[in-house]
Amino acid sequence: MTDNQTWITEVTLLGFQVDPALELVLFGLFSLFYTLTLLGNGVILGLICLDPRLHTPMYFFLSHLAIIDMSYASNNVPKMLANLVSQKRTISFVPCIMQTFLYLAFANTECLILLVMSYDRFTAICHPLRYTVIMSWKVCLVLVTISWAFSFILALVHLILILRLPFCALHEINHFFCEILSVLKLACADTRLNQVVIFASCVFILVGPLCLVVVSYTRILFAVLKIQSGEGRRKAFSTCSSHLCVVGLFFGSAIVMYMAPKSHHPEEQQKILSLFYSLFNPMLNPLIYSLRNTEVKGALRRALCKERPV
């Protein structure tokens, strides 16, 4: 490695290049969104833990989705908020790489958890008599463990491929966090292997699960249409539509970000897309599940009634 190909110690996150007055507005707005993300997902997680009626496989998976959303937002947003009110927008290289690793790990885990949730709904609606046998607690634990373990292993592969590269470009990342495509632009070596692995992992972790989700919900749709009871059909549609909203928001933005041709989304558009699934999607998930789910709303009412003084 030559003298100009050294291990950099810190990089500058350019973030949103706007007027200082607008930066304060964005700081207040994003702080509100981040607070709502932590509060909403924290409430969902607390209700699932405390209410015995929600101790079912569906809400077990939903609790993991809430944990992922809080972790995912907390990995990216605090540094972005600090940079909006600070003149020094540097981050050490090691924390930057860790941010990239965790961001990939949590994103991968969310993809797989959403897939597992669709399988749970498919089993509940298409095989209701065998549901408790198919989705036993042992099976649920195995599915969740595999999702977390595989996601972190895949993120570790990306991390190793990044660390093998020499960095000698300008130490500036035109993003609000250490997003993997932006980090690769700092390298002064051929990154084609990294690009190929990123695309291949997107096919496996995004397109594959999305196709399986579509297949599951196609079969669910036919099963729901056969339900004679209007109330049963309405309840099935309500539960599944909530999950479909989350799937569409997350997979849609991620596929556009990582699988569309680069010319179709310049750097500023990349920031907006990243902001969408780093902050907006984790904030919307608990709202979607709570506002469209009678069981969650019922658990919230019961929890509030217990807190009222006699």
Side-chain angles (χ1 to χ4, degrees), residues 6 8 53 66 68 72 128 131 137 141 158 168 184 200 206 270:
T6 57
I8 59 179
R53 301 185 191 185
I68 293 168
Y72 196 55
Y131 177 72
W137 282 112
L141 288 172
H158 290 293
C168 59
L184 289 178
L206 287 174
Q270 287 183 22

Side-chain angles (χ1 to χ4, degrees), residues 60-72:
F60 174 68
F61 298 135
L62 182 56
S63 68
H64 282 267
L65 184 63
I67 293 171
I68 293 168
D69 283 338
M70 288 190 291
S71 303
Y72 196 55

Side-chain angles (χ1 to χ4, degrees), residues 275-302:
L275 188 66
F276 190 86
Y277 59 77
S278 296
L279 184 58
F280 296 155
N281 204 47
M283 179 187 68
L284 292 174
N285 283 356
L287 294 177
I288 292 172
Y289 278 107
S290 60
L291 293 178
R292 299 183 60 86
N293 193 301
T294 55
E295 291 178 328
V296 172
K297 289 187 286 187
L300 181 59
R301 282 194 296 268
R302 289 190 294 272

